[in-house]
Amino acid sequence: LSTDYRKNELEEIIRLRKGEATPSRSFAKFFWQTEHFVFQRPGFYTTVRMFSRRNRNMEEPYNGPGKPTHHRADGTNYLMLKGDEYHNIWPVYDWQKISGTTILQKPKLHGPENIQLDGFTDFVGAVTDGLYGAVAFDFISPHDLVKARKSWFFFDEEYVCLGTDIRSRADLPVATTVNQALLRGDVTILQDGEVKKLPRGSRELNGVKFVHQDKIGYIFPSTTTIQLSNQEEQGRWSDITDQKNISTEVVRMDVFKLWFDHGKHPDSASYQYIVVPGVTEQVLQETSGDNRGIEIITNNSDVQAVSNRKLGITQIVFYKASAVKVADGLTVRMDSPGMAMLKIRDGKAHELTVADPTRKLSRVIVTLSGNYKGKGDQQLSVSETNGKSTLILLDLPQGVYAGKSVSVGLD
């Protein structure tokens, strides 16, 4: 007998493939044992892949196009609207400009025997309530010792990518790649207040507010300098795999690349950008001026925090015990490293979600300005400290569940 486990989902997949339905699923899921985050909305699917001291960065390149995959877990952030944005791109792919990563730009990659290496940091994880979520990566490259604190903040119609404290001692440039995907149609930018369609080529662009390509918008909260390539790239399947009987013919494909150049031996470099999937050029022009209601509260080596004012959601990464003002009359303090997500209504928090990326804590302590009472969660202990703020203690999952998020309602 066959099982009916997840029957409804499987039937929906069949209807989708037949064109009899449109996508409807929305979720956020963090696989805390493997440091992998996935985020789904009806119009797009995106992921973040990481590693920590708890696991190794990559598999051994024993199967498929694995020879150049040294950096594929370095915060890789793929984005798909249709599912074919990277289809067969791999022989022409620049494997030191993987979407979402911060990588030292070497003359060539290390040998394939040095792909799988141990991680150096513990603060790697995510906070999620199953629908929204944020991801944090205290990153040190085991290949090149490039350091960065990277985070991603996911909402319904856009997500925010922050990087700070980017450092390298090597006399080579460091790049953070926004995306590298197949080139589809025109590339449009807003530069110095003027909308332009770019000819094919590769160039540095100054004063850029947004880039639009293949129904995806990339907004820079403050105008910035960015590197952009929209041209044909070449490569061979035989260069990226040890499998037998692989074609040695040159493959040519049109590729879109967008990245920040942090220069040689950067010291505390940073970046910030907003990704808007499934948006037209016209809508991007109309909504980029106020950054679509997204506020980047802070982006430094202690705290990275973003608020979506339209949704009333604020997500915070605390790399150390810190306090951050997230709205008028609302300050959040965490007494340890950790992550928090607040849902806010009328200036007050009504739901709090926390997580411990280090997997070392048994409980987390959060202080909110204002008076609150917990809503029926046995893991919650609330005490009013002085009539003006509330101390909240949350027990964290342990054992194989360490790293999982905990949510509580607040009154």
Side-chain angles (χ1 to χ4, degrees), residues 329-331 342-345 347-351 367-374 380 382-384 388-392 409-411:
L330 181 54
T331 297
L342 285 169
K343 293 184 177 178
I344 302 168
R345 186 188 303 124
K348 290 199 67 176
H350 65 88
E351 185 175 291
T367 303
L368 300 180
S369 52
N371 292 324
Y372 293 92
K373 294 180 180 180
L380 173 66
V382 178
S383 61
E384 296 181 11
K388 296 182 179 179
S389 61
T390 304
L391 188 72
I392 301 171
L410 300 171
D411 280 331

Side-chain angles (χ1 to χ4, degrees), residues 251-298:
V251 176
R252 296 176 173 84
M253 304 181 82
D254 290 341
V255 175
F256 168 78
K257 286 189 285 189
L258 186 66
W259 73 97
F260 294 94
D261 180 1
H262 303 299
K264 295 181 179 180
H265 38 78
D267 184 14
S268 67
S270 64
Y271 64 83
Q272 52 187 19
Y273 59 94
I274 302 167
V275 181
V276 189
V279 68
T280 65
E281 177 189 322
Q282 181 63 37
V283 170
L284 193 65
Q285 290 184 44
E286 294 170 354
T287 58
S288 62
D290 69 347
N291 298 321
R292 297 177 63 89
I294 299 289
E295 179 186 358
I296 297 174
I297 299 170
T298 185

Side-chain angles (χ1 to χ4, degrees), residues 88-356:
N88 284 337
I89 195 176
W90 313 120
V92 304
Y93 202 68
D94 183 343
W95 290 93
Q96 295 190 95
K97 290 187 176 69
I98 300 172
S99 304
T101 60
T102 300
I103 298 175
L104 187 72
Q105 303 297 290
K106 303 169 286 296
K108 65 177 183 178
L109 289 166
H110 301 296
E113 68 279 0
N114 291 320
I115 291 179
Q116 188 184 73
L117 299 172
D118 293 328
F120 290 139
T121 64
D122 289 320
F123 194 95
V124 181
V127 61
T128 176
D129 63 354
L131 189 60
Y132 302 98
V135 180
F137 192 11
D138 186 13
F139 171 65
I140 300 177
S141 169
H143 295 287
D144 310 309
L145 300 182
V146 171
K147 298 181 179 182
R149 286 186 163 169
K150 300 167 67 69
S151 56
W152 297 259
F153 305 82
F154 293 89
F155 306 107
D156 284 325
E157 298 177 346
E158 57 275 301
Y159 61 92
V160 183
C161 308
L162 301 183
T164 189
D165 208 27
I166 300 170
R167 302 174 184 272
S168 172
R169 295 182 179 181
D171 194 31
L172 292 167
V174 174
T176 294
T177 301
V178 177
N179 202 1
Q180 179 183 182
L182 293 174
L183 175 65
R184 268 61 180 279
D186 293 329
V187 177
T188 305
I189 66 170
L190 177 60
Q191 183 183 37
D192 297 328
E194 181 182 355
V195 176
K196 304 175 182 178
K197 293 192 184 299
L198 294 181
R200 293 165 68 92
S202 182
R203 78 287 284 166
E204 179 176 277
L205 299 165
N206 300 311
V208 175
K209 178 60 180 177
F210 73 66
V211 174
H212 184 267
Q213 196 272 148
D214 194 22
K215 300 179 182 178
I216 302 173
Y218 309 91
I219 298 174
F220 306 102
S222 300
T223 56
T224 193
T225 298
I226 198 75
Q227 315 294 316
L228 193 154
S229 174
N230 57 325
Q231 62 186 14
E232 181 182 270
E233 305 290 351
Q234 300 182 11
R236 294 179 175 86
W237 282 105
S238 57
D239 291 338
I240 63 172
T241 181
D242 284 331
Q243 289 183 327
K244 305 301 181 184
N245 303 316
I246 298 297
S247 172
T248 60
E249 292 185 7
V250 174
V251 176
R252 296 176 173 84
M253 304 181 82
D254 290 341
V255 175
F256 168 78
K257 286 189 285 189
L258 186 66
W259 73 97
F260 294 94
D261 180 1
H262 303 299
K264 295 181 179 180
H265 38 78
D267 184 14
S268 67
S270 64
Y271 64 83
Q272 52 187 19
Y273 59 94
I274 302 167
V275 181
V276 189
V279 68
T280 65
E281 177 189 322
Q282 181 63 37
V283 170
L284 193 65
Q285 290 184 44
E286 294 170 354
T287 58
S288 62
D290 69 347
N291 298 321
R292 297 177 63 89
I294 299 289
E295 179 186 358
I296 297 174
I297 299 170
T298 185
N299 180 26
N300 59 51
S301 59
D302 294 340
V303 180
Q304 292 174 308
V306 171
S307 180
N308 185 312
R309 299 304 186 195
K310 179 172 63 176
L311 293 176
I313 295 176
T314 297
Q315 300 168 346
I316 313 167
V317 181
F318 294 97
Y319 293 99
K320 61 182 290 188
S322 304
V324 58
K325 181 180 178 181
V326 300
D328 288 341
L330 181 54
T331 297
V332 182
R333 177 177 177 82
M334 188 172 281
D335 286 0
S336 64
M339 302 181 71
M341 178 166 64
L342 285 169
K343 293 184 177 178
I344 302 168
R345 186 188 303 124
D346 299 326
K348 290 199 67 176
H350 65 88
E351 185 175 291
L352 170 67
T353 304
V354 299
D356 170 29

